[in-house]
PDB file of all heavy atoms in Angstrom:
ATOM      1  N   MET A   1      29.726 -98.222 -32.241  1.00  0.00           N
ATOM      2  CA  MET A   1      29.958 -97.113 -31.354  1.00  0.00           C
ATOM      3  C   MET A   1      30.389 -95.868 -32.090  1.00  0.00           C
ATOM      4  O   MET A   1      30.995 -95.914 -33.088  1.00  0.00           O
ATOM      5  CB  MET A   1      31.148 -97.522 -30.398  1.00  0.00           C
ATOM      6  CG  MET A   1      30.692 -98.445 -29.337  1.00  0.00           C
ATOM      7  SD  MET A   1      31.149 -97.875 -27.669  1.00  0.00           S
ATOM      8  CE  MET A   1      32.923 -97.835 -27.808  1.00  0.00           C
ATOM      9  N   GLU A   2      30.024 -94.703 -31.466  1.00  0.00           N
ATOM     10  CA  GLU A   2      30.376 -93.439 -32.123  1.00  0.00           C
ATOM     11  C   GLU A   2      31.255 -92.585 -31.138  1.00  0.00           C
ATOM     12  O   GLU A   2      31.182 -92.823 -29.933  1.00  0.00           O
ATOM     13  CB  GLU A   2      29.134 -92.684 -32.474  1.00  0.00           C
ATOM     14  CG  GLU A   2      28.542 -93.004 -33.795  1.00  0.00           C
ATOM     15  CD  GLU A   2      27.681 -94.213 -33.697  1.00  0.00           C
ATOM     16  OE1 GLU A   2      27.043 -94.449 -32.562  1.00  0.00           O
ATOM     17  OE2 GLU A   2      27.636 -94.994 -34.593  1.00  0.00           O
ATOM     18  N   LYS A   3      31.983 -91.719 -31.748  1.00  0.00           N
ATOM     19  CA  LYS A   3      32.699 -90.705 -30.849  1.00  0.00           C
ATOM     20  C   LYS A   3      32.618 -89.335 -31.552  1.00  0.00           C
ATOM     21  O   LYS A   3      32.237 -89.265 -32.730  1.00  0.00           O
ATOM     22  CB  LYS A   3      34.142 -91.145 -30.655  1.00  0.00           C
ATOM     23  CG  LYS A   3      34.956 -91.230 -31.910  1.00  0.00           C
ATOM     24  CD  LYS A   3      36.365 -91.637 -31.606  1.00  0.00           C
ATOM     25  CE  LYS A   3      37.158 -91.867 -32.880  1.00  0.00           C
ATOM     26  NZ  LYS A   3      38.487 -92.325 -32.732  1.00  0.00           N
ATOM     27  N   PHE A   4      32.956 -88.276 -30.775  1.00  0.00           N
ATOM     28  CA  PHE A   4      33.084 -87.036 -31.365  1.00  0.00           C
ATOM     29  C   PHE A   4      34.516 -86.719 -31.567  1.00  0.00           C
ATOM     30  O   PHE A   4      35.360 -87.017 -30.654  1.00  0.00           O
ATOM     31  CB  PHE A   4      32.431 -85.930 -30.395  1.00  0.00           C
ATOM     32  CG  PHE A   4      31.010 -85.900 -30.323  1.00  0.00           C
ATOM     33  CD1 PHE A   4      30.344 -85.348 -29.165  1.00  0.00           C
ATOM     34  CD2 PHE A   4      30.146 -86.428 -31.321  1.00  0.00           C
ATOM     35  CE1 PHE A   4      28.957 -85.364 -29.027  1.00  0.00           C
ATOM     36  CE2 PHE A   4      28.756 -86.403 -31.194  1.00  0.00           C
ATOM     37  CZ  PHE A   4      28.177 -85.892 -30.068  1.00  0.00           C
ATOM     38  N   VAL A   5      34.874 -86.080 -32.682  1.00  0.00           N
ATOM     39  CA  VAL A   5      36.265 -85.692 -32.891  1.00  0.00           C
ATOM     40  C   VAL A   5      36.205 -84.129 -33.113  1.00  0.00           C
ATOM     41  O   VAL A   5      35.563 -83.645 -33.973  1.00  0.00           O
ATOM     42  CB  VAL A   5      36.834 -86.334 -34.214  1.00  0.00           C
ATOM     43  CG1 VAL A   5      38.262 -85.879 -34.474  1.00  0.00           C
ATOM     44  CG2 VAL A   5      36.689 -87.862 -34.076  1.00  0.00           C
ATOM     45  N   ILE A 392      29.756 -91.064 -26.122  1.00  0.00           N
ATOM     46  CA  ILE A 392      28.890 -89.845 -26.419  1.00  0.00           C
ATOM     47  C   ILE A 392      27.415 -90.081 -26.173  1.00  0.00           C
ATOM     48  O   ILE A 392      26.596 -89.170 -26.236  1.00  0.00           O
ATOM     49  CB  ILE A 392      29.093 -89.282 -27.783  1.00  0.00           C
ATOM     50  CG1 ILE A 392      28.800 -90.334 -28.903  1.00  0.00           C
ATOM     51  CG2 ILE A 392      30.572 -88.815 -27.944  1.00  0.00           C
ATOM     52  CD1 ILE A 392      28.826 -89.764 -30.293  1.00  0.00           C
ATOM     53  N   ARG A 414      32.998 -83.486 -35.355  1.00  0.00           N
ATOM     54  CA  ARG A 414      32.354 -84.542 -36.167  1.00  0.00           C
ATOM     55  C   ARG A 414      31.998 -85.720 -35.378  1.00  0.00           C
ATOM     56  O   ARG A 414      32.687 -86.013 -34.352  1.00  0.00           O
ATOM     57  CB  ARG A 414      33.308 -85.010 -37.309  1.00  0.00           C
ATOM     58  CG  ARG A 414      33.408 -84.102 -38.514  1.00  0.00           C
ATOM     59  CD  ARG A 414      34.434 -84.578 -39.531  1.00  0.00           C
ATOM     60  NE  ARG A 414      35.730 -84.824 -38.893  1.00  0.00           N
ATOM     61  CZ  ARG A 414      36.407 -86.036 -38.975  1.00  0.00           C
ATOM     62  NH1 ARG A 414      35.920 -87.001 -39.695  1.00  0.00           N
ATOM     63  NH2 ARG A 414      37.597 -86.137 -38.382  1.00  0.00           N
ATOM     64  N   ARG A 415      30.958 -86.396 -35.784  1.00  0.00           N
ATOM     65  CA  ARG A 415      30.496 -87.582 -35.073  1.00  0.00           C
ATOM     66  C   ARG A 415      30.943 -88.760 -35.955  1.00  0.00           C
ATOM     67  O   ARG A 415      30.477 -88.834 -37.085  1.00  0.00           O
ATOM     68  CB  ARG A 415      28.965 -87.613 -34.966  1.00  0.00           C
ATOM     69  CG  ARG A 415      28.362 -88.707 -34.158  1.00  0.00           C
ATOM     70  CD  ARG A 415      26.878 -88.465 -34.187  1.00  0.00           C
ATOM     71  NE  ARG A 415      26.149 -89.245 -33.193  1.00  0.00           N
ATOM     72  CZ  ARG A 415      25.852 -90.499 -33.399  1.00  0.00           C
ATOM     73  NH1 ARG A 415      26.107 -91.104 -34.537  1.00  0.00           N
ATOM     74  NH2 ARG A 415      25.171 -91.219 -32.472  1.00  0.00           N
ATOM     75  N   VAL A 416      31.747 -89.587 -35.466  1.00  0.00           N
ATOM     76  CA  VAL A 416      32.299 -90.657 -36.329  1.00  0.00           C
ATOM     77  C   VAL A 416      32.076 -92.050 -35.612  1.00  0.00           C
ATOM     78  O   VAL A 416      32.045 -92.084 -34.440  1.00  0.00           O
ATOM     79  CB  VAL A 416      33.791 -90.422 -36.729  1.00  0.00           C
ATOM     80  CG1 VAL A 416      34.103 -89.167 -37.474  1.00  0.00           C
ATOM     81  CG2 VAL A 416      34.646 -90.524 -35.451  1.00  0.00           C
ATOM     82  N   SER A 417      31.959 -93.063 -36.533  1.00  0.00           N
ATOM     83  CA  SER A 417      31.863 -94.364 -36.002  1.00  0.00           C
ATOM     84  C   SER A 417      33.222 -94.958 -35.657  1.00  0.00           C
ATOM     85  O   SER A 417      34.144 -94.692 -36.351  1.00  0.00           O
ATOM     86  CB  SER A 417      31.208 -95.342 -36.985  1.00  0.00           C
ATOM     87  OG  SER A 417      29.917 -94.881 -37.234  1.00  0.00           O
ATOM     88  N   ILE A 418      33.291 -95.677 -34.531  1.00  0.00           N
ATOM     89  CA  ILE A 418      34.524 -96.345 -34.209  1.00  0.00           C
ATOM     90  C   ILE A 418      34.265 -97.834 -34.371  1.00  0.00           C
ATOM     91  O   ILE A 418      33.342 -98.399 -33.728  1.00  0.00           O
ATOM     92  CB  ILE A 418      35.112 -96.140 -32.799  1.00  0.00           C
ATOM     93  CG1 ILE A 418      34.042 -95.369 -31.964  1.00  0.00           C
ATOM     94  CG2 ILE A 418      36.366 -95.511 -32.767  1.00  0.00           C
ATOM     95  CD1 ILE A 418      34.517 -95.175 -30.506  1.00  0.00           C
TER      96      ILE A 418
END
Side-chain angles (χ1 to χ4, degrees):
M1 283 235 296
E2 276 80 33
K3 65 181 172 184
F4 289 157
V5 179
I392 59 169
R414 279 176 309 127
R415 184 179 195 279
V416 299
S417 294
I418 9 176

